[in-house]
Amino acid sequence: MRLAARLVVVALLFAALLGLCVHYGGTYDDNWPHPTGDQLGEEYDAYAGERVLLFGSVQSVDGETIVIHVTDSADEVAAELEIDGVDNSVASGGTVQVYGVLESDRTMTADETVVVDRDANAFDYKLGTSIVGVLLAIGYFARHWTVNPRTFAVEPRETEAAELVAGADDG
């Protein structure tokens, strides 16, 4: 395939990807069936008695009861909720997803709880291990492959190609 054709295909794929990202961002809140932090902060009573999925940062832990802060789009606290029935180990500063019935007295009995970050340091650990993994992948790729800018293609390094040809003559 010619270089110009490859560039056109890559440009079209990037344009399609950008369009999908914009569409997803524009329709996300309309298609999400649970209240967001903004909606919870504005009209909490409208969601009382309903099954909801909330994301919050853990402020305190007392046995099977935790207190979480649900934030709005401005990253301010929209609601402070007391969640009962949490059986996962989580510490203050962690992040959880809680699914259950929202009560009018700003409490919730959790049907299911998923711990996203066990404590405040979990995010840093996940980010650090991801960066190390990406660097290892890039290093492995750069050791065995090279990008040819004239043909806009990825090719094996010369030493790899020479070893493959020499190995084929041995048999």
Side-chain angles (χ1 to χ4, degrees):
M1 187 183 284
R2 291 189 349 239
L3 177 62
R6 287 182 185 187
L7 290 175
V8 168
V9 168
V10 167
L12 288 174
L13 290 174
F14 274 128
L17 179 64
L18 179 64
L20 288 172
C21 289
V22 169
H23 174 71
Y24 178 79
T27 61
Y28 180 78
D29 287 340
D30 296 337
N31 294 323
W32 182 249
H34 303 286
T36 62
D38 293 325
Q39 293 167 332
L40 206 59
E42 292 171 3
E43 47 194 35
Y44 180 89
D45 293 332
Y47 299 101
E50 290 188 26
R51 281 196 186 285
V52 296
L53 173 66
L54 298 175
F55 297 80
S57 60
V58 178
Q59 301 305 306
S60 65
V61 178
D62 183 21
E64 289 189 3
T65 302
I66 62 173
V67 175
I68 65 168
H69 283 174
V70 178
T71 57
D72 58 12
S73 60
D75 213 22
E76 296 187 17
V77 178
E80 180 176 275
L81 300 171
E82 184 176 302
I83 312 296
D84 296 319
V86 177
D87 57 356
N88 293 325
S89 61
V90 64
S92 294
T95 304
V96 293
Q97 299 175 14
V98 182
Y99 182 72
V101 178
L102 191 63
E103 302 296 333
S104 59
D105 60 350
R106 298 201 179 251
T107 62
M108 175 189 271
T109 301
D111 292 337
E112 189 165 339
T113 305
V114 176
V115 177
V116 177
D117 292 327
R118 295 222 178 270
D119 57 25
N121 297 326
F123 177 78
D124 296 335
Y125 173 76
K126 289 192 280 187
L127 180 64
T129 55
S130 296
I131 289 172
V132 169
V134 166
L135 291 175
L136 287 172
I138 290 171
Y140 183 81
F141 177 83
R143 180 180 173 139
H144 296 287
W145 297 91
T146 185
V147 176
N148 186 339
R150 280 183 276 136
T151 60
F152 198 58
V154 178
E155 300 171 347
R157 289 209 174 264
E158 291 299 323
T159 56
E160 296 283 324
E163 288 174 7
L164 289 174
V165 170
D169 292 339
D170 291 343

